[in-house]
Amino acid sequence: MIDTLATLLPICQTTDYPYVLVANPKVAANTAAELVALARPGKSCHHPHI
């Protein structure tokens, strides 16, 4: 059996920031503020093509 924790090693660091926000490209938001606006109550946060 393979010990994945001992066998697999990170090869690069992708960011220095403690948080990363990732969304599907089909979401109609280009900034965090736009994403929050889509998620607010009373707004449709479901993109019609997802």
Side-chain angles (χ1 to χ4, degrees):
M1 178 170 253
I2 297 174
D3 181 1
T4 56
L5 293 177
T7 306
L8 301 176
L9 301 173
I11 57 171
C12 69
Q13 183 174 349
T14 59
T15 182
D16 287 332
Y17 300 105
Y19 303 103
V20 176
L21 177 63
V22 179
N24 187 307
K26 294 179 182 178
V27 174
N30 292 313
T31 66
E34 290 176 358
L35 186 61
V36 169
L38 284 172
R40 294 224 164 143
K43 301 282 185 181
S44 173
C45 63
H46 300 286
H47 193 276
H49 300 293
I50 295 178

